[in-house]
Structures are given as structure tokens and as C-alpha cells.
Amino acid sequence: MKDDAGGLYFAARNTRPDRLRSTAVPAQFVQQCIRQTRSRSAVLLLDCCYGGAFGQGVAVRASGDANVLDSFRGGRGRAVITASNSIEYAFEGATLASDEPARPSVFTSALVEGLRTGEADRDEDGWIALGELYEYLFDRVRERNPKQTPSRDIEMQGELYLAKSRRRRIKPSPVPPDLAGAIAAENPFTRLGAVAELRRRLSSPNLPVAVGAFEALKSMAATDIEHVAAAAADALSFAVVRVDAGSFRLSAPAGSGASASLRVSGPPVAREVRFDPSHAWIRVAEVAGGAEVTATAGESGVRRGKVVVTGPTGDAVVEVEIRTEPAPTAVAEPESAPNVEPVVAAEPETVPSPHPEPEPEPEPEPEQVAELAPPKRPNVAFGASDATKATLGRTPEPTKQTGAIDPVGGFAGILAIAGTVFAVAGLPLHYRYDSYTLAQYRPGMEYSVAVVAACALVAGILTLAPRTRERTGPALLLGAGLAALFGLLRFVGEALTLSTGSDTELNAGFTFALLAHLAWAVAGLCAFVALRRTVRRITGWASWAAIALGVLAAAGWILQLVELDSYDSDNAGRNGAYFLLGALVAVVVPVVAVVLRPAVLVTGLAGPVAVLPPTFAVLADYSSLTYAGQIVAVVAVVLLAVDAGVLARRQPIERQS
């Protein structure tokens, strides 16, 4: 405010316009304090309201220019930033003089937000300079109140830094010359080695080194050949920004807040992030390993926003939703409750009777009846309730509890599930060298592994289930074990073949696949023991048809191998194991099924089915072949599946025998 002589004063809440000298702070006093400071640089931030009169409930606005900057000009090493020069729209007198709790102004809110979150650091160098702070305040204040324009008067040399900021742009460190040479090498295996080294550097706590590796991998993923680019993209996925929650669904009463924890995982470069809320009602407080997100509920309905987690390797978006809980309705007390007299009339039941009747004494229990009753003996005659277990005048011997878990069957079920876990975990891993997965090195085998893994998982679960652990589960698990013979023999043969050379390079993907098939085979053997089933005679046309179809499928694959050998003997020698092992499995599975239980054929069919993808992958490059043997094998497998359904209907797999 200004007095009659033109002197500028800073008004407080209890300032009286007619007594400015005793109830306000003169600008001259503030000027004197700035001049007497020993600091070489002084920054004055003014967020004040100017008016000609000021009173309770009266809205007063400035009628002219307060010329605040003119009152603080002069002197070196001094900077003044004001909320506005003509402060007509800064405050309303009625709001200032009311009894409502004070709220920060637009200018102060923007100032605190810019310093606290680091958004005022425009160049992201880790420091908030005075010029950057003014530009940030100018933009935010004008964005929220277009009629208010912050002003400044800076008289100092050089840049003045006011605060540190977490919005630090990390400058990538260049890769070493030898690694740069490996990245630009013509040999793709050398570049694959460079990808492995860059992935190791991504985990470095030295953030410039990690960012330099990230930039190099991003360039290789965009420009290199397919195999190298895929390896580089896989390495990049290791360092992306990861959060433990993609969204928060919160609820709170109106005006209250609800909080949730947000955790960031990954290497150090992926955890170097900042959190940017989309709305003012979302507050983020950074803590070790992440942040605490607090959302304030509105008056009613649902508020929706987001928190953007940004780092040098990317960003992640977390959706935030908070629903306003309805206010609890107070239960109205009965109107008569406050007027209840201290003496309450007695209820009719409690009024004592002049001639109370004596309570009847309990009759003595006839103990002799229990003594004379003959002891109950189950199943002593043909009239017993369980006629199938009736005996002639003697108590039957205790029988085996049907719900008990067979240790062998339980072990087989757990082993089958463990084998599925190994198979799923090994599929994306490198099978040979440091660049080839199973799908790339042995095309089609990944589908074979997936088919057997699915059957083994279902069979393992049924072997542990109470209703199917005696017959159905072990039978299905035996079939899955037989189906796994194809993959087991194929992987064992590959290991033996490569062990004779000097360059084996079998990696974790091979080990996981081999362990999975070995687990399934052992589980099938344990399931055979758990069945305790003797070999039965082969009867019925469906059983003989199953064996014939298995032989037909085996003949088809052998015929196809002969045709391939006549066209390309080298390729037939390398991939002949697919056809020979497929022929073996196609014969063994139906024979075991018809002599034990038809349920074996249900999952055992996964063996012949698993042979189809790799054999088709081998034949895909030859358009001049007739594919006669492969067609015969496919038709035989399809008919074998139909025959398995016929066998299952003629002898249900749950029937006790």
C-alpha cells in the first residue's frame, strides 16, 4: 500500500490504512536490510497486494501501478521478482479479510512447486538458476491467471543458482575405443559380443557409463541385422523404467487423501527417475526406492489422473483414480430415548406369580437301556447298508483309504509340474552360442516343447487332485512321459554329437530343455509304478486300429526321410533323428496305451504331434518334394486322435477296475 506521501508499505492481515507507519512494514526498511547484508547477492521475491483502502469484507483493488520495482532499484548483486507490477488481480479484499484459512497465492504456489519438484530447472543441469526460476514463474502464473504478469529487475553479473534439482540430464559417456571397434566390426558374432559387454555396462552404478551403453544399444537395435538387433533390443529391455503398479484405485472421504507406495526396479540407470503428477490433487513424495503417491478426493464422484515416471531410459505411466466415499449417515436415535423415565415398567414375563409352579424335575435317563442294547457291528449280514462290503457274520478287515495320496504318484505329479516350469523358463534363453534360442537354432522344436509341457502340466495337476489321483492322473502322466521321449532323445543325441567336436557352446536354454524332458520321463515312469496295472489282452477293433495307425504314422515318416535323403543326403543326415524318433514314439505310445489304459493315449498323442513342427520345418525349404510320407503321417495322427476318443468312450478313464 502507499501512503499520502507516496511511500510504499507491505500490509499485513491486521494493517490499518489510516495507520500505515505503525501497522505495516515500510519498503524503505526492507531496502535498508538488503543494503546492510554482507552477502554479495540478494534475491527479493515479493508476492503482495496493493490497494487504496482495506477493510473487513470490502473488496478493494488497485487503481494504478504500484511501481514496486522502482522502490528496490539500485545496487549491484541484487535481484527483485514480483508477482505483478500492477497488482489489481492478485487478491480480493473480501477473501483476505475473511475467516477462511489462508491459501497460497498463484505466485507462491508456482514458486514452491518449481523449487520442490525441480521443474524450474529448464536445462536439466541439476541446478535452478535465477533466470530459469523467473521464466518458470512467468509461464506458470500466466497459465493460471492470464491477467497477472510477474516482473523482474536483476542487476548482477553472472548466473546465480538458487537450488539443486533432481532433473539432472545425464550426459552419456562414450564407449571405449576397443568396444566401439567391436560394435563396428563386420563379423556379426563380434557385434554380438559387443552387445553382451554393453549389457554389462548398463548395470554400472556410474550413470554416464550406463547411459552411453544405452545409447549404443539403441543405435544397434535400429540399424544392425536381425539377430544382432534382437539381442540389442533384449538388452535394452533390461534397463527400461519399471514400476510395481500400473494403476492405483483409491478411495477417501471428501477432502481427505489416500496414499499408495510406488516402487521402481531395475539397474541404477533405470531407477534414476523423477515423478511428474498430472494434477495438483496428486502429490508425490520421493522416498528410497520409489515414491509415496497421495491423492485427495473431491467433493463427489471420481477423480482420474496419472503420474509419469521419467528416466534416461524411458518412462512409465501410472494411472491414479480416487473415488469419493459417501459421508457416513448418522443413525437417528429414537425420539423417546431422551425422555425415558428412570423407572421402567416391568415386563409381564418378569412379574412374579403369587403361586409359582415348581419346575419339572428332569426324568432320570434309563441307563439300563444302553446296557442291554447289543453292540453295533457294521456289515454283519446281507442286510447291511453297504451291501457291496457286507460279510457273513464277521467284521471286515480295514481297507485302504481311497483319498490318501500315493507317495509315488504325488512325486510324479510334482516332478511333471517342475518340468513344465523348466521348459517355460528355458524357451526364451539362449540355446547355443550367445545369440540363438531354441526356436532359432532348431526351428519347430519350440512348438514340440510347448505341446508336451501343456500335457505334462495338466497330467501333473490331475495326479495330485483327490478325485483323479488313482487312475486318470497317473495314466495321463504316463502318456506325457512317453510323449517326452521324442524331445529327450533328441536333446541327448545333440549333446553327444556336439561333445565330439571342439565347439559345443550349449547354453542355459539347452540345459533347461533337457532337464524338463528328463523330469517328464521320470514322472512317466513313476506314474507307471503308481498305476499298479498288469498287462491285459488286446481286444476290440479300436485297440488294434490304434496300433495300426501308429505303425502307419511311423511308416510315413520313414518314407519321407527316404525321399529327403534321395534329394539332399546332407540335410537328411543332420535332421534324420526327427523322423526316426517320431516313428519310434508313434509305435510305442499306442501299444502301451492299449495294454494298460486308454487314457495313456490321450496325452501320449502329444508325442506324435510334437514330431510334426520340426519335420515340417525341415521340409519347408524343398518345394520339389512330394511330401507323401509327411501327409500319411499327419492323416495317421489325426485318425489316431479320433480312435483315442473311441477307446475312452468304450472304457471310461474314471472307471474303477
Side-chain angles (χ1 to χ4, degrees):
M1 303 181 70
K2 282 187 177 182
D3 58 8
D4 296 336
L8 182 66
Y9 290 84
F10 294 103
R13 188 177 183 85
N14 57 352
T15 295
R16 295 180 58 177
D18 56 343
R19 296 183 181 179
L20 292 179
R21 292 188 178 183
S22 58
T23 60
V25 179
Q28 185 179 2
F29 170 75
V30 180
Q31 179 79 285
Q32 184 179 1
C33 292
I34 295 177
R35 289 174 180 173
Q36 293 177 354
T37 181
R38 296 183 179 181
S39 176
R40 295 183 179 178
S41 301
V43 178
L44 181 62
L45 302 172
L46 297 178
D47 186 6
C48 51
C49 180
Y50 167 71
F54 203 86
Q56 175 71 26
V58 179
V60 181
R61 294 181 179 178
S63 58
D65 198 338
N67 296 322
V68 177
L69 291 178
D70 295 340
S71 301
F72 293 95
R73 283 199 171 99
R76 303 187 61 179
R78 182 180 309 170
V80 181
I81 298 178
T82 63
S84 62
N85 204 357
S86 179
I87 325 176
E88 183 177 0
Y89 300 97
F91 281 106
E92 293 288 341
T95 303
L96 187 65
S98 68
D99 295 331
E100 296 180 0
R103 296 182 179 179
S105 66
V106 175
F107 180 82
T108 301
S109 299
L111 174 66
V112 174
E113 182 181 357
L115 294 176
R116 179 178 60 84
T117 63
E119 291 186 5
D121 184 10
R122 293 299 183 93
D123 57 2
E124 296 184 353
D125 61 349
W127 294 92
I128 300 177
L130 181 61
E132 292 177 320
L133 179 62
Y134 172 75
E135 293 176 1
Y136 173 80
L137 291 174
F138 185 90
D139 294 339
R140 294 305 296 266
V141 170
R142 293 283 295 174
E143 177 185 348
R144 299 179 183 179
N145 187 1
K147 299 180 180 181
Q148 183 177 347
T149 304
S151 304
R152 65 177 173 179
D153 180 36
I154 301 176
E155 298 180 5
M156 58 177 58
Q157 295 181 352
E159 191 66 85
L160 177 63
Y161 296 100
L162 302 178
K164 287 187 177 181
S165 167
R166 284 184 55 86
R167 297 185 62 176
R168 182 167 63 93
R169 180 186 294 118
I170 303 172
K171 296 182 180 180
S173 176
V175 296
D178 54 347
L179 183 56
I183 295 174
E186 295 183 0
N187 191 340
F189 293 101
T190 304
R191 299 200 298 275
L192 287 173
V195 170
E197 174 61 21
L198 289 173
R199 180 167 186 163
R200 187 191 65 81
R201 293 171 69 90
L202 271 179
S203 304
S204 173
N206 189 334
L207 297 182
V209 171
V211 174
F214 183 83
E215 296 295 334
L217 284 170
K218 188 163 62 173
S219 176
M220 296 181 71
T223 60
D224 216 317
I225 61 175
E226 180 180 359
H227 294 324
V228 180
D234 181 68
L236 287 173
S237 64
F238 168 70
V240 297
V241 177
R242 292 188 180 90
V243 292
D244 61 347
S247 61
F248 291 130
R249 300 290 184 267
L250 308 173
S251 62
S256 300
S259 301
S261 297
L262 183 63
R263 294 293 176 263
V264 183
S265 60
V269 69
R271 300 196 300 268
E272 188 70 16
V273 296
R274 67 175 186 269
F275 303 89
D276 299 320
S278 60
H279 296 79
W281 52 267
I282 303 177
R283 300 188 304 275
V284 180
E286 296 187 19
V287 296
E292 290 291 329
V293 180
T294 303
T296 304
E299 295 299 327
S300 62
V302 180
R303 280 179 165 179
R304 294 182 176 87
K306 62 184 178 180
V307 176
V308 181
V309 186
T310 307
T313 60
D315 53 27
V317 178
V318 180
E319 302 292 337
V320 179
E321 176 183 302
I322 184 166
R323 184 180 301 274
T324 303
E325 297 178 352
T329 56
V331 180
E333 297 182 358
E335 296 181 0
S336 58
N339 301 325
V340 174
E341 296 294 331
V343 178
V344 182
E347 297 180 359
E349 291 79 4
T350 59
V351 176
S353 176
H355 301 287
E357 297 182 1
E359 297 182 0
E361 298 182 357
E363 299 181 0
E365 298 181 359
E367 300 180 357
Q368 66 277 9
V369 175
E371 295 178 356
L372 297 177
K376 184 177 180 181
R377 297 178 61 189
N379 302 328
V380 296
F382 287 103
S385 60
D386 190 359
T388 59
K389 298 181 180 180
T391 57
L392 293 174
R394 58 184 177 89
T395 304
E397 296 179 0
T399 58
K400 179 183 176 181
Q401 190 177 2
T402 57
I405 298 178
D406 184 14
V408 179
F411 173 76
I414 295 175
L415 198 60
I417 297 174
T420 303
V421 173
F422 277 118
V424 174
L427 283 177
L429 300 179
H430 291 154
Y431 182 84
R432 192 179 182 194
Y433 302 117
D434 290 330
S435 57
Y436 294 103
T437 61
L438 177 62
Q440 296 169 343
Y441 191 75
R442 293 294 182 191
M445 280 300 295
E446 72 275 14
Y447 300 108
S448 303
V449 175
V451 169
V452 180
C455 294
L457 178 61
V458 174
I461 294 175
L462 294 178
T463 305
L464 299 176
R467 294 186 178 181
T468 55
R469 64 170 59 127
E470 290 189 15
R471 294 285 187 271
T472 304
L476 295 175
L477 190 52
L478 176 57
L482 294 174
L485 288 177
F486 168 71
L488 177 62
L489 296 176
R490 184 67 186 89
F491 292 128
V492 171
E494 182 143 68
L496 295 176
T497 302
L498 295 178
S499 63
T500 58
S502 59
D503 185 16
T504 304
E505 289 290 338
L506 291 174
N507 283 345
F510 169 83
T511 304
F512 274 76
L514 181 60
L515 289 176
H517 285 78
L518 186 60
W520 293 330
V522 175
L525 181 60
C526 295
F528 174 75
V529 176
L531 277 175
R532 297 184 180 88
R533 187 68 181 264
T534 57
V535 177
R536 63 172 185 169
R537 295 178 56 187
I538 302 176
T539 57
W541 65 267
S543 299
W544 288 108
I547 298 176
L549 290 173
V551 173
L552 181 62
W557 276 315
I558 293 176
L559 177 63
Q560 188 61 59
L561 178 61
V562 172
E563 183 184 11
L564 178 62
D565 183 70
S566 63
Y567 189 84
D568 188 350
S569 58
D570 292 337
N571 195 13
R574 289 193 302 268
N575 299 288
Y578 290 133
F579 299 92
L580 296 178
L581 293 177
L584 175 64
V585 172
V587 174
V588 170
V589 170
V591 172
V592 175
V594 297
V595 300
L596 289 180
R597 292 192 65 83
V600 175
L601 190 57
V602 175
T603 51
L605 271 173
V609 172
V611 180
L612 296 176
T615 53
F616 272 115
V618 172
L619 301 174
D621 296 333
Y622 301 95
S623 58
S624 58
L625 296 177
T626 62
Y627 299 101
Q630 189 76 355
I631 294 174
V632 170
V634 171
V635 173
V637 171
V638 174
L639 295 177
L640 190 59
V642 176
D643 191 62
V646 175
L647 284 172
R649 292 193 60 181
R650 294 186 61 181
Q651 184 178 358
I653 58 178
E654 285 295 331
R655 189 180 67 184
Q656 304 293 330
S657 57

